[in-house]
Amino acid sequence: MLYKNIAKPVLFRMDPERAHHLTIDGLHTAGNIPGGRALLRAMYGVPSYPELETELWGIRFPNPVGLAAGLDKNAKAVPGFSSIGFGFMEVGTVTPRPRSRAMSGPVCSGFRRTWL
């Protein structure tokens, strides 16, 4: 409710880079203050379902939904992201040619905004 009615409309009106940094910084702060992780879990956490647990190469994942590399390039918000239900995360990035997160073109821009 809070995300859908307040955060999403505000973030989608911002410059993409600014919205990205605001989100990472917010999750970093929430993940590091006393009670912040519990609050994130209570608001956005996902219950554990044994049927969704996955094991791959001896590593157990609580669910198959993960966070791709590149979103949290500096691993700044790992505690925050860990509290909102992702089964795994890739942090950091390796790229020969860095580029902006902001996609260009009307098709890409529309796609980016509709899937969130």
Side-chain angles (χ1 to χ4, degrees):
M1 203 73 160
L2 177 67
Y3 172 75
K4 183 179 177 183
N5 294 328
I6 298 172
K8 185 176 177 181
V10 170
L11 291 171
F12 275 50
R13 285 186 177 89
M14 294 176 124
D15 169 70
E17 285 294 312
R18 184 164 185 214
H20 171 81
H21 289 290
L22 183 65
T23 301
I24 295 296
D25 291 345
L27 282 170
H28 169 76
T29 302
N32 288 305
I33 61 172
R37 290 185 216 172
L39 180 63
L40 286 172
R41 271 193 299 278
M43 292 175 68
Y44 302 108
V46 176
S48 179
Y49 293 101
E51 59 270 18
L52 292 179
E53 288 183 11
T54 304
E55 186 173 321
L56 182 64
W57 298 314
I59 303 170
R60 189 192 71 78
F61 301 98
N63 65 61
V65 179
L67 184 65
L71 180 63
D72 189 6
K73 292 180 183 178
N74 299 317
K76 187 175 180 180
V78 170
F81 280 123
S82 296
S83 300
I84 59 175
F86 289 105
F88 62 93
M89 290 178 284
E90 294 178 282
V91 295
T93 185
V94 176
T95 180
R97 293 187 328 245
R99 61 185 184 128
S100 170
R101 274 175 288 283
M103 296 181 198
S104 60
V107 174
C108 291
S109 180
F111 174 76
R112 178 175 50 92
R113 296 200 180 271
T114 57
W115 66 269
L116 291 176

